[in-house]
Structure formats: structure tokens, C-alpha cells
Amino acid sequence: SMDCFALELDSHQKFRLVQPIHESEYCCEGINAHRIHTLRHAVARRSMSRVGRQALQYFSTLEMCAEACKQGRLEIVMCFALDKLVKLLEQAHRSLQFYKAQLASFK
């Protein structure tokens, strides 16, 4: 089911992905709005929700869409985003190990 990939319309009238990790953690909007568009548009294409259909219609009208959604672009963006997420996970793991070591030293 694609229900795990959802979009919402935020208070700034922007369609955003609904997920526990904010997009800025793995795909900085300020650096490359095309990457954010690529991900959001891919989710909108697969969404069955009313908001997803609205997002699909909106994203398709944007000038950047032709470049951001070229063949093969989603795979490139996903690889970049997954690499960033892996680094975040590794950092969190090291932080947890440090915390556990500190806790053990108090015993």
C-alpha cells in the first residue's frame, strides 16, 4: 500500500511529505528545490488521497517540473537522500553508544 507515503497541505499552502523526519534533514530545500520537488511529485503520482491528487495537479504545473522530474532523476535524488539518512542514523547510533558509555561509568 502506498498509504505510508502521504502529503499534506501546510499552513503556507505548500504540499509537504508526512513523515517523522523532516525533509530538511536529508534534502535541504534551500540548496536544491528541485530535489524536494522530485520527491514530493513522485509521492503525489502514487497517492490515492484527495490531497495527493491536488498535489499532483499542482506539481505538474510548476516550471521546474520538466527538469526536476526527468527520467532517472528520482533514483539520483533517492540515493542522495538515503545517503544522508544513513549518516543521520550512524550519528544517532554513535550518540547512543556515547550515552550508554557515560551511563555505565556512573555505576
Side-chain angles (χ1 to χ4, degrees), residues 5-62:
F5 298 104
L7 291 154
E8 66 184 0
L9 191 59
D10 71 10
S11 60
H12 304 293
Q13 297 299 301
K14 282 188 170 185
F15 292 99
R16 299 212 179 267
L17 296 174
V18 177
Q19 57 193 1
I21 299 175
H22 195 271
E23 293 165 329
S24 64
E25 293 288 334
Y26 61 87
C27 197
C28 183
E29 195 164 2
I31 292 174
N32 194 339
H34 284 76
R35 287 182 181 153
I36 294 290
H37 174 88
T38 302
L39 289 172
R40 291 178 184 171
H41 200 164
V43 170
R45 277 191 203 93
R46 290 160 180 83
S47 177
M48 300 293 196
S49 72
R50 180 184 57 79
V51 173
R53 289 190 305 272
Q54 289 174 330
L56 178 61
Q57 190 173 29
Y58 169 74
F59 291 140
S60 298
T61 65
L62 296 178

Side-chain angles (χ1 to χ4, degrees), residues 69-85:
C69 294
K70 285 193 322 194
Q71 184 75 23
R73 178 90 172 134
L74 179 59
E75 290 80 5
I76 293 167
V77 171
M78 288 294 296
C79 284
F80 175 84
L82 288 172
D83 183 58
K84 297 267 292 191
L85 288 170

Side-chain angles (χ1 to χ4, degrees), residues 95-107:
S95 180
L96 179 61
Q97 286 177 323
F98 176 78
Y99 173 76
K100 284 182 176 181
Q102 292 296 313
L103 212 54
S105 72
F106 292 125
K107 291 181 180 182

